Every structure is written in C-alpha cells, then in structure tokens.
Amino acid sequence: MPDANIRIPAEARDRLAEIAAAEGLCLCAYLARMADTLLTPAERAERAGRARAVLREWNGYDPSPGEQVALDAELDRRLAQADAA
C-alpha cells in the first residue's frame, strides 16, 4: 500500500512520534494501528444500534430519543465531574 502525506502542526507530529516511540512503534505504524482501532461515526452508530437491540430483546430496555439525550447529558456530567476530581 502506498504511503500518504498528511500535513499537521509540527507540535502534533512531535507529540504523536513521542507517544509512538514510547510504545515501541514508528509514527507510521502507530497511526496505522490507531486507524485500525478507532471507529467512524457510522460504525459507532451501527454498534450502538446493535447494543440497543440486544438490550431491548434481553430486558425490554428501549429509551426514547428524549431519554437518550437525558442519559447522554448525565453521562457527560459525570465524566466532567470525574475529570475535575
């Protein structure tokens, strides 16, 4: 597979290279591994849909869109609280 050039700020490149080196990888291998492990928004939505279907079938859990928004807001609040601690 041919390589591609990506323009990013030098500070970001240097930080990523340092993280990669700490894991024993070159920057190229680190970015390739990252690309293989992160999900696209469409993949996340599909996975979330499957999880909701499993929960609905297993125990009837089926939050409405409004309940989902409220649950997401509560999760965001708790994560922010944990970060502040």
Side-chain angles (χ1 to χ4, degrees):
M1 177 183 308
D3 289 340
N5 291 321
I6 300 171
R7 294 180 55 87
I8 62 171
E11 297 82 14
R13 179 206 57 217
D14 295 344
R15 179 173 170 77
L16 289 170
E18 183 178 344
I19 294 167
E23 296 188 25
L25 298 170
C26 67
L27 182 54
C28 182
Y30 179 77
L31 292 174
R33 185 182 71 180
M34 186 186 308
D36 286 341
T37 59
L38 295 175
L39 299 175
T40 67
E43 291 167 334
R44 283 194 307 273
E46 192 270 332
R47 191 175 279 191
R50 285 195 328 251
R52 282 191 301 274
V54 167
L55 287 170
R56 187 173 40 254
E57 183 179 320
W58 176 58
N59 67 4
Y61 180 73
D62 192 17
S64 70
E67 290 169 324
Q68 288 180 33
V69 168
L71 290 167
D72 286 344
E74 176 64 12
L75 179 58
D76 290 343
R77 184 188 69 75
R78 290 182 184 206
L79 289 171
Q81 185 179 19
D83 282 344

